[in-house]
């Protein structure tokens, strides 16, 4: 089954404790991206990747890092999380051209 | 980058009626526009894509129109059902940097009452 898998689904942690949210897709998609979704603000893009070893900033990249060492994986790293990064995060992937985005089920992060 | 406007107020309609949602954009006209459905706490799910040279696209009870002069897309659900209650997002490719990663509107919540 074609899917985007994120882990963990839920995480409560404390300020400053490094964390990684993993994202994996099994559709051999070139493009992958991370979004955060906050009430009233909609989906905002954090980082995206057009292929292996090619990443670029989205609209709200501050406080986040990503890497794309393999085509299927695109982890999101919070080196020193802060409470303003409490949010619902989505990973997405898509193929070339006008192919639609496939989203994971989301990761709800709470930073205390 | 593209600015996308969707009605932030929830749309409440009676079962069986046609729901119409609006997506307006302000900058360049995109090569295509997509509509997604999002249920609470879940990731958006793709519904329909319409290209700039298409005036209308249909899929079962769904219909999308695309007016590049008005810079607007309308999303219709005919014979609406309570199961159609969700948030509907429009998305346009953002060509900045050549990525064509879609930018999403904030979505409009649709509530269909039995």
């Amino acid at each position: 089954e074609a899917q985007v898998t994120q882990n963990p689904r839920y995480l409560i942690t404390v300020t400053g404790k490094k964390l990684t949210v993993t994202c994996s897709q099994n559709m051999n998609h070139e493009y992958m991206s991370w979004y955060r979704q906050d009430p009233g603000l909609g989906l905002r893009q954090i980082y995206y990747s057009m292929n292996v070893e090619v990443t670029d900033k989205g609209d709200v990249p501050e406080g986040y890092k990503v890497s794309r060492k393999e085509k299927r994986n695109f982890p999101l790293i919070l080196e020193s999380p802060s409470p303003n990064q409490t949010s619902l995060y989505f990973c997405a992937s898509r193929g070339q051209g006008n192919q639609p985005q496939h989203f994971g089920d989301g990761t709800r992060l709470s930073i205390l | 980058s593209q600015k996308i406007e969707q009605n932030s107020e929830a749309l409440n309609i009676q079962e069986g009626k046609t729901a119409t949602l609006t997506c307006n954009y302000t900058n360049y006209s995109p090569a295509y526009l997509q509509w997604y459905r999002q249920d609470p706490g879940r990731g958006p799910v793709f519904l329909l894509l319409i290209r700039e040279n298409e005036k209308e696209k249909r899929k079962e009870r769904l219909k999308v129109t695309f007016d590049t002069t008005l810079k607007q897309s309308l999303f219709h659900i005919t014979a609406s059902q309570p199961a159609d209650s969700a948030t509907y997002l429009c998305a346009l490719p953002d060509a900045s940097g050549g990525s064509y990663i879609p930018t999403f509107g904030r979505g409009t919540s649709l509530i269909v009452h039995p």
Side-chain angles (χ1 to χ4, degrees):
Chain A
E1 180 190 351
Q3 59 185 7
V4 177
T5 303
Q6 295 178 228
N7 279 297
R9 293 292 314 281
Y10 305 91
L11 179 62
I12 301 173
T13 188
V14 295
T15 297
K17 186 176 181 182
K18 181 180 177 180
L19 67 91
T20 299
V21 184
T22 62
C23 175
S24 180
Q25 51 97 1
N26 63 0
M27 295 167 279
N28 201 36
H29 284 165
E30 288 80 11
Y31 294 86
M32 297 187 74
S33 49
W34 276 102
Y35 296 84
R36 62 178 288 175
Q37 189 171 39
D38 302 287
L41 297 178
L43 279 167
R44 293 182 292 166
Q45 194 180 131
I46 303 171
Y47 268 94
Y48 64 89
S49 169
M50 296 169 69
N51 215 322
V52 175
E53 301 293 1
V54 181
T55 63
D56 209 344
K57 297 177 181 178
D59 299 319
V60 288
E62 293 76 22
Y64 305 95
K65 284 175 56 177
V66 293
S67 70
R68 188 95 182 270
K69 294 186 171 61
E70 305 164 286
K71 197 171 187 178
R72 63 182 291 126
N73 295 323
F74 191 44
L76 179 70
I77 303 155
L78 285 71
E79 293 271 4
S80 183
S82 62
N84 65 9
Q85 293 176 298
T86 292
S87 187
L88 179 58
Y89 291 85
F90 290 102
C91 179
S93 74
R94 72 175 182 91
Q96 298 273 8
N98 59 14
Q99 295 299 309
Q101 293 271 65
H102 294 258
F103 284 83
D105 283 335
T107 295
R108 190 168 289 281
L109 280 183
S110 294
I111 316 293
L112 305 178
Chain B
S1 61
Q2 194 69 270
K3 185 178 177 186
I4 304 169
E5 295 169 353
Q6 292 187 259
N7 196 339
S8 58
E9 285 187 25
L11 177 64
N12 285 272
I13 63 168
Q14 282 300 122
E15 182 175 7
K17 301 292 186 185
T18 295
T20 298
L21 306 174
T22 304
C23 174
N24 294 298
Y25 57 95
T26 57
N27 294 338
Y28 59 89
S29 278
Y32 60 87
L33 185 149
Q34 299 171 337
W35 283 89
Y36 291 75
R37 168 186 172 137
Q38 186 175 24
D39 293 288
R42 306 299 301 274
V45 174
F46 171 75
L47 295 174
L48 277 170
L49 177 149
I50 185 165
R51 293 180 178 80
E52 61 179 340
N53 60 352
E54 296 176 318
K55 292 277 194 253
E56 182 180 297
K57 198 79 167 282
R58 291 175 184 263
K59 179 183 176 183
E60 297 172 354
R61 294 185 295 112
L62 309 180
K63 184 179 86 170
V64 172
T65 62
F66 194 6
D67 189 326
T68 55
T69 302
L70 294 178
K71 295 190 174 182
Q72 181 181 80
S73 174
L74 298 179
F75 177 81
H76 307 271
I77 305 176
T78 58
S80 59
Q81 304 164 0
D84 295 326
S85 299
T87 296
Y88 291 87
L89 310 169
C90 69
L92 283 69
D94 188 340
S96 59
S99 72
Y100 293 93
I101 298 286
T103 298
F104 286 80
R106 295 182 185 183
T108 299
S109 175
L110 172 66
I111 302 167
V112 181
H113 299 276

